[in-house]
Amino acid sequence: MIIITNKPKKLSGELLVPGDKSITHRALIFGALAKGTTEIKGFLDSEDCRSTISCLRALGVIISEKPGRLVVEGRNKIMEEPAKVLDAGNSGTTARLMLGILAGQHFSATITGDQSLQKRPMKRVVEPLSQMGVNFGEKVEHLPLTVRGGALKSIDYNSPRASAQVKSAVLIAALFAEGKTIFNEPHLSRNHTELMLSAFGAEIKRSKNQVLFEGGQSLKGRQIHVPGDISTAAFFMVAAAIVPGAEVFLKNVGINQTRTGIIDVLKEMGADLKIDNERLWGSEPVADITVRGGAKLQGIKIGGKIIPRLIDEIPVIAVAAAVAEGKTVINDAGELRVKESDRISAVVTQFTSMGMAITETEDGLIIEGGSSLTGAEVESRGDHRIAMALAVAGLAAEGETTIHNAEVINISFPGFIPALRSLVTEKQ
Ligand code: S3P
């Protein structure tokens, strides 16, 4: 599949972005671990979340699809030994959180993923889980991994990186452990797991970058309404910010503080962005966001503790930086190199061919603003967020942009192209 984008005459309208990917994974997983039934409304129906569903089903979890909702029959933490190798597909969140579940089971199971996921680092999860008593055998760096779980002990773990996937795997394993698990991280990563654990009736203490969690607790099934995904909304926010005269209204977007780095950055760059109707959906805050194009954007510096709050949005932030005035410098984002692709290298090679003045550093990007972008033939590198960022860049480029291998968008947002089209009025 390819996508072709052009500079639109107009970009305007209202969108309901699909459900949050991180929250959908967790709702399925905690629903499966809980006692009783969990109903999930507004879930993200995408390939990554389907990977979580199929791994859970292989562990004996009954998940039924009703109109507009998923119903998960919880197994009160005890899973069934799978008859086959679990397959996390392209989804890092599925693989790493599933390791937390397997850690607590009294059987041995193997989990793998697609070619891209088999290259991504797993030792970051293997390390703390091994300290808790899980046996991984010899092979610990990459998928496929074989996990022999069982009687776990609690740990006091200082994570070298701010990773919500590592934190979540440890907290899930801690549900099976004796004693109090403490997890420290250098900066606060997304906290959906902590919020959801307490929504499912567990007691969890959070302070700054530390979580304390007493092992052995059980969870109670509940209803969950998943907010719109801010990481998906980000593509439309930037699209509206860079197209003069644009006006885009995004409804029911999750604005959890650990995810709103994109809003802070766009505001600091000078974008015209308004947040209205703030309210809570369960424990997650939600709002409506309006972005208007035409405001002059300025280059800024991005680094330090904001990085985990916007890590998935950096490819599309690069697009805003390219049309801004002045230089944007992004540091401390070395994690981008181990996402669905090496996103630093993907952004530099693909955007350079569209005329962006962008250079790579070991842990980030330097973007000289004020480039005039030109349409080009580009490639997603098998990465959904690169494909969508390229489509947004295409809206600011003179001439046609053709994005190859764009079907990867289905990983997080199967409806992206129709949604973008619904906002665009083509030039005659
Ligand atoms: C996610 C955490 C982040 C993020 C990923 C989703 C999650 O990864 O980039 O897209 O749902 O926990 P890390 O935990 O590796 O930082």
Side-chain angles (χ1 to χ4, degrees):
M1 179 172 79
I2 55 171
I3 314 176
I4 298 173
T5 45
N6 276 299
K7 233 180 197 174
K9 183 171 165 212
K10 207 173 143 201
L11 190 84
S12 68
E14 180 177 319
L15 276 184
L16 205 55
V17 293
D20 188 276
K21 184 150 81 70
S22 294
I23 298 176
T24 301
H25 285 301
R26 287 160 172 80
L28 287 160
I29 285 171
F30 290 117
L33 289 166
K35 195 171 172 189
T37 303
T38 290
E39 273 203 13
I40 312 169
K41 278 204 272 180
F43 63 95
L44 172 66
D45 191 357
S46 77
E47 284 177 9
D48 265 11
C49 298
R50 291 266 156 204
S51 293
T52 291
I53 293 177
S54 78
C55 287
L56 290 172
R57 282 184 172 150
L59 291 169
V61 182
I62 296 172
I63 301 172
S64 27
E65 300 177 34
K66 307 269 157 101
R69 71 209 151 99
L70 292 173
V71 180
V72 185
E73 302 301 337
R75 294 185 60 97
N76 198 13
K77 301 202 281 191
I78 310 301
M79 302 293 150
E80 201 172 278
E81 185 168 350
K84 54 176 190 186
V85 171
L86 302 177
D87 185 0
N90 190 247
S91 173
T93 309
T94 306
R96 295 184 177 128
L97 271 57
M98 216 48 71
L99 290 175
I101 299 185
L102 296 178
Q105 309 301 317
H106 289 268
F107 52 73
S108 157
T110 300
I111 181 161
T112 192
D114 70 6
Q115 275 190 5
S116 146
L117 190 55
Q118 285 186 35
K119 290 199 199 100
R120 296 178 64 189
M122 291 296 147
K123 197 146 172 231
R124 53 183 59 193
V125 183
V126 166
E127 215 148 72
L129 294 185
S130 301
Q131 288 182 23
M132 295 177 88
V134 181
N135 184 353
F136 287 91
E138 294 290 292
K139 198 175 169 293
V140 293
E141 301 279 349
H142 298 110
L143 297 180
L145 287 175
T146 298
V147 188
R148 177 165 287 283
L152 301 184
K153 50 182 187 291
S154 57
I155 48 169
D156 182 345
Y157 192 68
N158 286 315
S159 175
R161 59 184 67 77
S163 163
Q165 293 178 357
V166 176
K167 175 170 64 178
S168 303
V170 169
L171 290 174
I172 292 168
L175 279 170
F176 302 89
E178 241 175 60
K180 189 186 288 160
T181 289
I182 304 175
F183 188 92
N184 294 292
E185 52 187 345
H187 299 303
L188 184 62
S189 63
R190 63 192 66 192
N191 63 4
H192 307 300
T193 292
E194 296 92 301
L195 294 180
M196 210 175 277
L197 275 168
S198 87
F200 274 81
E203 227 178 89
I204 182 159
K205 289 204 180 92
R206 302 183 283 136
S207 63
K208 225 175 150 227
N209 305 337
Q210 186 181 70
V211 188
L212 282 96
F213 189 55
E214 193 63 54
Q217 300 190 57
S218 48
L219 306 177
K220 266 204 317 282
R222 51 164 292 140
Q223 297 210 329
I224 293 187
H225 195 172
V226 181
D229 196 328
I230 189 165
S231 296
T232 299
F235 296 103
F236 302 103
M237 289 184 210
V238 172
I242 64 173
V243 172
E247 181 166 349
V248 173
F249 179 65
L250 302 159
K251 262 179 89 164
N252 304 342
V253 181
I255 53 157
N256 179 314
Q257 278 271 342
T258 59
R259 299 284 298 282
T260 47
I262 177 70
I263 293 177
D264 298 356
V265 156
L266 285 175
K267 281 191 169 161
E268 192 183 335
M269 292 179 89
D272 179 355
L273 191 146
K274 216 163 105 278
I275 317 260
D276 292 304
N277 197 16
E278 282 185 47
R279 67 254 188 227
L280 276 178
W281 279 10
S283 38
E284 292 283 353
V286 169
D288 303 332
I289 301 176
T290 310
V291 186
R292 293 190 178 85
K296 265 215 169 345
L297 302 183
Q298 293 294 328
I300 60 167
K301 281 203 171 78
I302 304 172
K305 70 173 191 248
I306 198 171
I307 294 293
R309 298 178 55 232
L310 50 65
I311 188 77
D312 292 340
E313 288 64 76
I314 290 177
V316 79
I317 288 173
V319 180
V323 304
E325 241 169 50
K327 194 193 282 187
T328 293
V329 181
I330 303 174
N331 288 319
D332 308 316
E335 275 293 303
L336 288 175
R337 296 209 181 266
V338 290
K339 294 292 178 189
E340 287 83 329
S341 67
D342 175 342
R343 286 187 175 153
I344 293 182
S345 146
V347 159
V348 169
T349 51
Q350 304 309 304
F351 287 150
T352 299
S353 61
M354 296 183 72
M356 234 186 239
I358 178 166
T359 45
E360 106 175 53
T361 61
E362 204 169 315
D363 67 348
L365 297 162
I366 301 170
I367 303 143
E368 297 291 344
S371 301
S372 40
L373 301 182
T374 46
E377 295 244 350
V378 287
E379 152 67 41
S380 72
R381 292 229 175 152
D383 186 326
H384 55 129
R385 297 201 201 278
I386 298 296
M388 291 187 273
L390 286 164
V392 173
L395 299 176
E398 218 42 82
E400 197 167 273
T401 298
T402 306
I403 305 159
H404 293 274
N405 196 11
E407 63 279 0
V408 286
I409 286 174
N410 294 341
I411 291 292
S412 63
F413 189 6
F416 174 72
I417 297 168
L420 190 61
R421 279 215 184 103
S422 75
L423 301 177
V424 163
T425 309
E426 304 272 0
K427 277 192 181 144
Q428 294 306 320

